[in-house]
């Protein structure tokens, strides 16, 4: 069978996850049922900003089957929701005296079942005094209306590229040099304000949480649709004064995350609270419409990008002056998301940089990490403006990019904000793409089409991403997990155990939501030990199994927890080699592991199986003297640097100027994530990432009206790309390994998204440039494209 | 109200409130949790099942409306231990990541192929437009369905199109 060619690293292995999932036997939170379960439903605010005068719960409480109705009166003592970067206003678990965004939870009803709870929620009477709301981030900066009535300002802070971490990085302020360059006669200055609109993540599985507090054991069991089970356990422990070894969090099958489930949420705390109060298991399942109020949103930037460069394509300065919308409350990473953008602000270009980005509160849902988190926004701005610069000086966009790249021999390269990029070979990667598509031929096809009156556009984007965050010192910057009582920083955890029967158990600290960790990690361990993939069981997302864990986000799992697992497997291998040496009367250095067992190098006939090795390991009297019984190892891996994947994407689109309709004719991506453990899974990650970037480019937008009501809370108003909207993706690959982890792997979960939105926009603008259009803000729905064409035509 | 129907070949019945959606009857009363709820408003397709052989989003139907119907859910699609070709295709061509859309997607695709076992890529893409997937970008879902179609026609499926290692990948 072609798809099970090999179990070693770099091989295509069918996923171990799939048999259950394709048979309908996967278990997501909502599929788990406990005896005596009660259901929670939230009462949510219809106003974006209002004072709460009173809440009358009496009618609801009196209803048959209602167990309790809780308000801030009951939960205030638990404190605000914990946040990693506690800058700005933190979220109370239930609105306390005022609401600050539409849909904010005001009360929680717990009843025998969800139907009763819903009816009772409707019977909770809340008396509000509406207050003016500030919705637009540009208005927020003016501070005429405050998102939080008692706050001094909506502005939380401004991040500056030259001064983003005072005291740690001594950086040059490039602003004077850029200002001077603007005075030269041989330069052009190209500037554009652009919106990177707010998005709703929409994992297809809504969030769900089930808590079962048992006072007898002094323990709470929690099942949550979470990317960060260990952080959740830590947060519960901290909030309820427990120790985290009494909090068992399991993230079972998780139906997509994309950052939506990379938060500790108030509902998670509240069902634990209710379970504790009522001594019953309590469940809450988000409805799709509610998700727009109960789950974070992403992006939401507006900013002006400027390139100052010579007429022959040398960039003398890149500036961005932007505002980022934090929404009403700071949650997990909220205020730090723009910093992740700052990390890759200059893209692949070795150019002077002057970035400033102001974070504001508005009366809208919180923003936080959505696939890419800051990096798609950053790359969008630089890649859009470089295209506009290329057009302004009449140079091919590929050539302008190449001219300003960090060169291969400059790696490890230092960015303008003082970070070190591990490895890169940008020109080779872009050339691979251009060759794959026959770029010159494409441009000729485009010209021929134009002669026939067809508007074909070719869009190009390169990107660099930063992922697998490290080093641990960053924890001190507020990115660590100490806020949740989880002092693990950015390390990864891998535990490898060879069982008495010769099979292996692998326990990792990740919280995947479809990334195929069971398969990939089995490959890593199989490659080290020679135990077949089928005989390796991988467990993740369980805080009682894995000693520590940071979860799955920021494209970190393979590069960090993967590396930890690699090292744990290596420790097991070393010990097993001693056992085998004893068994085969050879020297440990000569032992090799392959094909389900071990042999002495040079005499492959002389073998022992893993079951035989395990027997000796667990019966110490059979093993070498002095060697501890058992065969397992745990490793924590703390990388010295993040990894910095990169790539080049190209789209060919056709625009119908009569309707504004955009059709994607081709989408080609050549990504570089270093060595690949399972190329099939890597490709899948890229596909999904591209689809989300295309979704942003063409369809998706969270729109609030001026009163702060979300107009796009359902899937009717918030169209996701369907199969019919997307083309088949053409993928290529280059390989520039990293040396920050022993496998040479970089993350790939977000790359597709980071590379794609501007690729589409660049292509569409390229198509209609002959009509005078220079920019259109996303999403490029037909009406908007049509309007832009009309406007350009005058 | 009393309802009875045939689900995956077995006669089942239950007492439901009139407002109970079919998807909830399947999930809660029958405890067949492979049929998922992604939106409850007929947009995502995660709840797709077959009712008398036709694909239906089971959140758009009341349990009482299915009285007497013959229903297949994802749990009933395989023939004992033999996967349905669509299930096999999804496994062979990496047609799923988180798996949440997968049961609905598989039920839509199997209905599509029952009608036409040689659909074009375009027909497949439009045929599954009622099913949303946020993970895969649909590329491998299309390949999975093509794989299944070939199998159902008794042909050898086209080889997978994932990126291969190539001379010069590392420069
Ligand atoms: S749950 Fe039925 S279509 Fe979404
Ligand atoms: S596989 Fe996750 S939604 Fe389709």
């Amino acid at each position: 069978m072609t798809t099970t060619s090999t179990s070693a690293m770099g091989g295509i292995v069918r996923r171990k996850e799939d048999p259950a999932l394709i048979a309908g036997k996967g278990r997501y939170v909502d599929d788990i049922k406990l005896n005596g379960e009660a259901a929670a439903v939230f009462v949510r605010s219809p106003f974006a900003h209002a004072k709460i005068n009173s809440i009358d719960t009496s009618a609801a409480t009196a209803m048959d089957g209602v167990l309790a109705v809780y308000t801030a009166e009951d939960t205030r003592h638990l404190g605000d929701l914990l946040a990693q970067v506690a800058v700005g206003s933190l979220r109370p678990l239930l609105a306390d005296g005022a609401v600050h965004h539409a849909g904010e939870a005001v009360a929680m009803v717990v009843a025998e079942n969800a139907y009763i709870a819903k009816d009772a929620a409707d019977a909770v009477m809340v008396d509000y005094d509406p207050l003016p709301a500030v919705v637009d981030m540009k208005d927020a900066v003016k501070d005429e209306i405050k998102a939080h009535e008692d706050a001094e300002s909506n502005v939380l802070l401004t991040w500056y590229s030259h001064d983003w971490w005072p005291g740690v990085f001594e950086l040059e302020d490039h602003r004077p040099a850029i200002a001077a360059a603007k005075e030269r006669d041989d330069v052009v200055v190209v500037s554009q304000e652009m919106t990177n609109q707010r998005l709703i993540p929409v994992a297809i599985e809504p969030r769900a949480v089930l808590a079962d507090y048992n006072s007898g054991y002094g323990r709470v069991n929690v099942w949550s649709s979470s990317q960060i089970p260990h952080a959740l356990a830590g947060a519960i422990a901290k909030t309820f004064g427990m120790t985290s070894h009494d909090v068992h969090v399991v993230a079972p099958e998780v139906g997509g995350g994309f950052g939506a489930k990379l938060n500790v949420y108030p509902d998670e705390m509240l069902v634990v609270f209710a379970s504790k109060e009522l001594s019953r298991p309590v469940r809450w399942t988000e409805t799709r419409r509610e998700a727009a109020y109960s789950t974070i949103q992403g992006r939401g930037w507006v900013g002006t990008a400027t390139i100052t460069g010579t007429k022959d394509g040398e960039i003398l300065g890149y500036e961005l002056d932007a505002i980022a919308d934090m929404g009403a409350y700071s949650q997990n990473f909220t205020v730090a998301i723009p910093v992740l953008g700052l990390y890759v602000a200059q893209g692949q270009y070795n150019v002077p940089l002057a970035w400033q980005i102001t974070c504001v509160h508005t009366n809208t849902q919180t923003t936080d990490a959505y696939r890419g988190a800051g990096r798609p926004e950053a790359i969008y701005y630089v890649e859009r403006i470089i295209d506009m610069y290329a057009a302004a000086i009449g140079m091919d966009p590929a050539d302008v990019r190449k001219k300003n790249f960090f060169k291969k021999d400059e790696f490890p390269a230092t960015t303008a904000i003082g970070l070190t990029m591990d490895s890169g070979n940008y020109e080779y990667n872009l050339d691979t793409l251009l060759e794959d598509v026959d770029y010159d031929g494409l441009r000729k096809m485009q010209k021929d089409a134009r002669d026939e009156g067809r508007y074909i556009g070719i869009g190009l984007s390169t990107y660099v991403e930063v992922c697998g965050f490290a080093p641990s010192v960053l924890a001190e910057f507020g990115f660590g997990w100490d806020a949740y009582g989880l002092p693990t920083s950015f390390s990864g955890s891998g535990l490898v155990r060879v069982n008495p029967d010769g099979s292996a158990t692998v326990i990792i600290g990740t919280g995947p939501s479809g990334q195929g960790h069971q398969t990939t990690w089995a490959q890593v361990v199989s490659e080290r030990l020679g135990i077949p993939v089928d005989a390796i069981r991988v467990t993740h997302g369980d805080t009682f199994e894995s000693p520590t864990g940071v979860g799955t986000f920021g494209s970190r799992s393979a590069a960090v927890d993967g590396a930890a697992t690699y090292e744990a497997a290596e420790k097991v291998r070393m010990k097993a080699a001693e056992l085998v040496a004893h068994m085969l009367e050879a020297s440990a250095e000569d032992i090799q592991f392959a094909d389900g067992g071990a042999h002495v190098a040079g005499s492959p006939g002389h073998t022992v199986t893993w079951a035989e090795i395990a027997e000796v390991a667990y019966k110490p009297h059979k093993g070498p003297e002095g060697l501890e019984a058992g065969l397992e190892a745990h490793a924590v891996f703390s990388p010295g640097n993040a990894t910095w994947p990169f790539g080049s994407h190209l789209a060919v689109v056709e625009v119908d100027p009569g309707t504004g309709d955009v059709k994607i004719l081709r989408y080609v991506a050549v990504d570089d994530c270093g060595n690949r453990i399972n190329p099939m899974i890597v490709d899948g990650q890229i596909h999904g990432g591209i689809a989300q970037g295309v979704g942003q480019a063409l369809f998706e937008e969270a729109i609030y009206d001026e009163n702060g009501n979300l107009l796009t809370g359902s899937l009717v108003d918030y169209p996701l790309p369907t199969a019919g909207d997307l083309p088949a993706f053409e993928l290529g690959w280059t390989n520039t390994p990293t040396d920050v982890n022993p496998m040479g792997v970089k993350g790939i979960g977000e790359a597709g998204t980071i590379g794609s939105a501007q690729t589409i926009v660049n292509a569409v603008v390229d198509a209609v440039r002959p009509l005078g259009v220079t920019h259109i803000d996303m999403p490029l729905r037909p009406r908007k494209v049509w309007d832009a064409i009309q406007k350009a035509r005058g | 109200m009393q309802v009875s129907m045939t689900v995956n070949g077995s006669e089942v019945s239950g007492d439901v409130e009139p407002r109970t959606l079919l998807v909830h009857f399947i999930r809660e009363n029958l405890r067949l949790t492979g049929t998922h709820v992604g939106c409850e408003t007929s947009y995502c397709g995660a709840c797709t099942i077959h009712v008398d052989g036709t694909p239906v989003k089971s959140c758009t139907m009341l349990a009482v409306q299915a009285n007497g119907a013959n229903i297949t859910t994802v749990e009933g699609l395989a023939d004992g231990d033999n996967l349905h070709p669509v299930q096999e295709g999804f496994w062979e061509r990496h047609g799923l990541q988180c798996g949440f859309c997968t049961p609905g997607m598989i039920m839509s695709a199997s209905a599509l192929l029952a009608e036409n076992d040689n659909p074009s890529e375009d027909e497949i893409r439009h045929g599954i437009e009622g099913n949303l997937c946020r993970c895969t970008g649909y590329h491998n879902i299309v390949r999975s369905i093509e794989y299944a179609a070939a199998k159902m026609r008794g042909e050898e499926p086209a080889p997978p199109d994932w990126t291969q290692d190539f001379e010069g990948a590392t420069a």
Side-chain angles (χ1 to χ4, degrees), chain A residues 483-526:
Chain A
Y484 302 128
L486 191 72
T488 46
S489 185
F490 286 101
S491 58
S493 174
L495 190 152
V496 176
R497 175 188 307 137
V498 176
N499 300 311
D501 64 358
S503 67
T505 297
V506 177
I507 298 165
I508 52 179
T510 66
S513 48
Q515 294 86 348
H517 289 186
Q518 292 173 25
T519 310
T520 310
W521 267 253
Q523 286 179 258
V524 170
V525 172
S526 180

Side-chain angles (χ1 to χ4, degrees), chain A residues 715, chain B residues 23 36-48 57-60 130:
Chain A
L715 293 174
Chain B
V23 65
H36 294 156
V37 178
C39 71
E40 234 178 47
T41 49
S42 83
Y43 287 99
C44 75
C47 63
T48 307
K57 293 177 177 177
S58 60
C59 74
T60 60

Side-chain angles (χ1 to χ4, degrees), chain A residues 84-254:
Chain A
Q84 290 205 58
V85 189
V87 175
S89 297
L90 301 187
R91 182 186 284 279
L93 298 182
L94 289 167
D96 196 356
V99 290
H100 298 103
H101 68 84
E104 183 170 352
V106 173
M108 175 172 68
V109 178
V110 185
E112 292 294 342
N113 63 48
Y115 289 107
I116 299 173
K118 268 177 215 151
D119 290 344
D122 289 340
V124 172
M125 295 303 181
V126 187
D127 181 26
Y128 296 98
D129 258 348
L131 296 168
V134 57
V135 179
D136 186 283
M137 52 190 140
K138 283 185 178 171
D139 291 338
V141 173
K142 293 183 206 147
D143 265 339
E144 284 158 11
I145 300 170
K146 303 281 172 22
H148 289 264
E149 56 291 347
D150 303 328
E152 266 173 35
S153 171
N154 295 319
V155 174
L156 304 183
L157 52 80
T158 298
W159 298 107
Y160 293 95
S161 51
H162 65 279
D163 190 28
W164 67 285
W165 196 353
V168 171
F169 291 103
E170 290 295 324
L171 299 167
E172 189 188 334
D173 183 353
H174 290 153
R175 287 177 301 184
I178 296 172
K182 283 180 182 163
E183 301 301 317
R184 283 166 47 172
D185 327 325
D186 62 334
V187 306
V188 295
V189 179
V190 181
S191 204
Q192 177 70 47
E193 181 179 287
M194 295 179 259
T195 299
N196 198 285
Q197 81 273 26
R198 185 189 276 247
L199 301 177
I200 304 178
V202 197
I204 303 295
E205 180 208 22
R207 291 195 304 110
V209 54
L210 170 63
D212 184 18
Y213 182 84
N214 184 317
S215 58
Y217 294 125
R219 183 170 88 199
V220 63
N221 289 308
V222 178
W223 293 262
S224 186
S225 178
S226 174
Q227 297 171 239
I228 46 170
H230 281 83
L232 175 56
I236 291 169
K238 221 171 153 181
T239 301
F240 294 93
M242 301 170 75
T243 56
S244 50
H245 64 251
D246 289 327
V247 182
H248 185 188
V249 175
V250 175
E253 299 293 352
V254 175

Side-chain angles (χ1 to χ4, degrees), chain A residues 22-23, chain B residues 72-84 87:
Chain A
I22 56 180
Chain B
T72 307
T73 68
V74 68
E75 289 94 339
L77 195 62
D79 178 11
D81 284 343
N82 293 325
L83 293 176
H84 186 280
Q87 291 172 309

Side-chain angles (χ1 to χ4, degrees), chain A residues 15 28 203-205 254-256 258 513-514, chain B residues 95-102 105 132-136 138 141:
Chain A
R15 296 203 321 168
Y28 301 81
I204 303 295
E205 180 208 22
V254 175
F258 319 116
S513 48
Chain B
L96 62 151
Q97 290 180 25
C98 80
F100 198 77
C101 72
T102 309
M105 201 62 93
L132 298 176
C133 176
R134 194 59 153 164
C135 296
T136 64
Y138 306 102
I141 289 179

Side-chain angles (χ1 to χ4, degrees), chain A residues 584 586-594 598-607:
Chain A
L584 296 180
S587 133
E589 296 86 73
D590 295 337
I591 305 302
Q592 293 182 342
F593 293 88
H599 62 267
V600 181
S603 51
H606 208 172
T607 65

Side-chain angles (χ1 to χ4, degrees), chain A residues 14-34:
Chain A
R14 285 189 310 181
R15 296 203 321 168
K16 292 167 76 72
E17 286 85 349
D18 291 356
L21 299 176
I22 56 180
K25 290 179 179 160
R27 289 288 173 265
Y28 301 81
V29 174
D30 219 34
D31 304 334
I32 296 161
K33 195 104 201 151
L34 300 183

Side-chain angles (χ1 to χ4, degrees), chain A residues 1-3 12 14-19 21-28 30-33 113 115-116 118-119 200-206 253-256 258 287-289 370-371 408 425 428 432 513-516 672 676 679-685 687-689 691-692 695 700 714-716 718 720-737, chain B residues 17 19-21 24-25 27-28 31-41 43-46 73-78 80 83-84 86-103 105-106 121-122 124-143 147 156 158-171:
Chain A
M1 202 178 307
T2 49
T3 47
I12 304 288
R14 285 189 310 181
R15 296 203 321 168
K16 292 167 76 72
E17 286 85 349
D18 291 356
L21 299 176
I22 56 180
K25 290 179 179 160
R27 289 288 173 265
Y28 301 81
D30 219 34
D31 304 334
I32 296 161
K33 195 104 201 151
N113 63 48
Y115 289 107
I116 299 173
K118 268 177 215 151
D119 290 344
I200 304 178
V202 197
I204 303 295
E205 180 208 22
E253 299 293 352
V254 175
F258 319 116
T287 64
R288 176 57 58 199
R289 186 167 268 285
Y370 167 57
R371 201 171 192 167
K408 184 186 176 191
N425 194 354
Y428 181 69
T432 303
S513 48
Q515 294 86 348
D672 191 322
R676 304 185 302 176
M680 173 188 88
I681 287 176
V682 170
D683 282 4
Q685 290 297 306
H687 291 155
Q692 287 183 9
E700 300 176 33
S714 81
L715 293 174
V716 204
Y718 192 90
L720 301 183
T722 68
D725 295 321
L726 298 173
F729 303 122
E730 303 166 54
L731 303 189
W733 176 57
T734 63
N735 181 13
T736 310
Chain B
E17 283 194 52
R19 63 176 167 175
T20 306
L21 298 174
H24 290 145
F25 178 73
R27 290 179 52 82
E28 306 297 329
R31 296 300 302 149
L32 290 170
T33 56
T35 302
H36 294 156
V37 178
C39 71
E40 234 178 47
T41 49
Y43 287 99
C44 75
T73 68
V74 68
E75 289 94 339
L77 195 62
L83 293 176
H84 186 280
V86 173
Q87 291 172 309
E88 186 185 320
F90 272 66
W91 193 12
E92 291 292 336
R93 291 294 180 269
H94 191 26
L96 62 151
Q97 290 180 25
C98 80
F100 198 77
C101 72
T102 309
M105 201 62 93
I106 286 176
E121 170 155 358
D122 222 42
I124 293 173
R125 287 186 176 273
H126 290 290
I128 57 168
E129 258 174 349
N131 292 74
L132 298 176
C133 176
R134 194 59 153 164
C135 296
T136 64
Y138 306 102
H139 180 102
N140 284 336
I141 289 179
V142 173
R143 297 292 173 258
Y147 176 102
E156 189 57 34
D161 64 0
W162 17 85
T163 46
Q164 306 287 333
D165 208 345
F166 70 102
E167 190 77 39
T170 311

